[in-house]
Amino acid sequence: IDMFPDRYRKGPESATVNYFLNGRVWYNDPDPVYVRNVVPLGRARTFASFTAIAGALYNFSDWLPDLKPERVEILKRTLAPHGILSARPIDYFESELPMAWVVDGGATKVFGLYNWNTNAAAKVDFPAAYAGLDPAKTYVGFDFWNDRFVPAFKGRLALEIPADDCRVLAVREVADRPFVISSSRHVASPLFDVVEERWDAAAKTLSGVSRVVPSERYELRFVSGGRLERRVFRPDVTPYPWKVSFKGEREEALR
């Protein structure tokens, strides 16, 4: 199994070893994010996601006019820092270069899972408690880069990561009401952007406030009745107040 070349691994290795200093003493520098067209797309996602989930210093030196649209999209979804100090590597003591990170936002946790091998898939299989989840509770998730729902699971966090690629999952405990599981704004969503979330049981509406880019398409992903539902907004301000009905009507934006 081939590992990433040293020039790619050096930055993440240094940022991982010193993760507990990040945001407290300084911002760790994992080296530039490389999304240029010659870098395999999965590898570009991996290093941009690593920097974003770790909350480290974000810098890049690629020439923007030459980048393909999918490369620009990686920058747009990872560029801003989330500022959450709970970000940490899960397998810190077991691996020279950990493959799993978590950002603990309380009700929601975002996992960054990285395959540093260039030609073989990797498996993540952690007991729930090891990953910071309650083994007695049932969770669902959303796979950001693959844009798909992660069905209910309990007891273990287990999945496969393609070679030279990553997976970023937002995970939340199953509830008896609709709730936000992710958004299109940022790889660390909804922790990055959704700053308020309120459920009105009588009206059967979920409302909240999000940090958005005005005029950019904004998609919220909800879990309702064990299924994924999506709503699209065109916000004209930030922060942006939104409101969604779960009585069968279309969503209603407050602005």
Side-chain angles (χ1 to χ4, degrees):
I1 298 176
D2 296 330
M3 301 295 286
F4 280 162
D6 288 343
R7 68 179 182 276
Y8 286 106
R9 289 167 50 90
K10 185 176 180 181
E13 286 174 348
S14 177
T16 299
V17 168
N18 296 296
Y19 85 91
F20 50 87
L21 299 174
N22 187 60
R24 296 175 176 88
V25 178
W26 56 55
Y27 283 97
N28 290 336
D29 181 2
D31 286 345
V33 168
Y34 297 108
V35 299
R36 60 196 59 172
N37 300 330
V38 296
V39 176
L41 188 62
R43 189 178 302 179
R45 278 195 297 260
T46 296
F47 281 91
S49 297
F50 174 85
T51 302
I53 296 301
L57 180 68
Y58 196 109
N59 65 91
F60 67 95
S61 57
D62 296 327
W63 179 241
L64 286 172
D66 288 346
L67 294 179
K68 295 180 179 178
E70 64 268 23
R71 310 290 171 141
V72 176
E73 184 68 9
I74 292 173
L75 291 177
K76 289 170 65 176
R77 302 305 155 210
T78 59
L79 182 57
H82 56 64
I84 301 173
L85 294 180
S86 66
R88 66 175 181 87
I90 295 173
D91 49 335
Y92 183 74
F93 294 105
E94 291 80 6
S95 308
E96 179 182 353
L97 183 53
M99 65 185 302
W101 280 67
V102 62
V103 184
D104 190 344
T108 303
K109 293 178 173 58
V110 175
F111 293 90
L113 308 171
Y114 315 109
N115 186 354
W116 306 111
N117 299 323
T118 60
N119 62 356
K123 291 184 178 180
V124 167
D125 190 355
F126 296 147
Y130 182 82
L133 303 174
D134 188 331
K137 294 180 178 179
T138 301
Y139 295 87
V140 291
F142 190 84
D143 186 331
F144 187 86
W145 291 121
N146 289 312
D147 192 31
R148 66 187 181 206
F149 182 56
V150 177
F153 65 94
K154 181 179 180 180
R156 305 192 74 84
L157 178 65
L159 69 162
E160 187 171 281
I161 313 168
D164 212 357
D165 209 336
C166 69
R167 296 180 71 174
V168 178
L169 308 180
V171 172
R172 184 164 174 175
E173 179 189 352
V174 173
D176 59 0
R177 63 160 180 87
F179 57 87
V180 177
I181 188 64
S182 181
S183 84
S184 60
R185 174 65 183 89
H186 192 274
V187 72
S189 70
L191 303 183
F192 176 85
D193 51 313
V194 180
V195 295
E196 291 184 26
E197 180 183 336
R198 299 177 300 275
W199 170 244
D200 185 332
K204 294 190 181 301
T205 58
L206 188 69
S207 59
V209 177
S210 296
R211 297 188 302 168
V212 298
V213 177
S215 78
E216 180 181 78
R217 178 184 182 275
Y218 181 61
E219 180 182 278
L220 281 169
R221 294 93 184 231
F222 305 92
V223 177
S224 176
R227 300 185 305 274
L228 183 73
E229 297 193 20
R230 302 171 186 260
R231 302 289 191 276
V232 175
F233 302 89
R234 292 285 181 179
D236 56 358
V237 295
T238 188
Y240 178 70
W242 49 266
K243 184 177 182 180
V244 175
S245 170
F246 285 88
K247 292 189 292 187
E249 298 89 349
R250 294 177 59 85
E251 71 277 5
E252 176 188 358
L254 296 183
R255 289 179 181 264

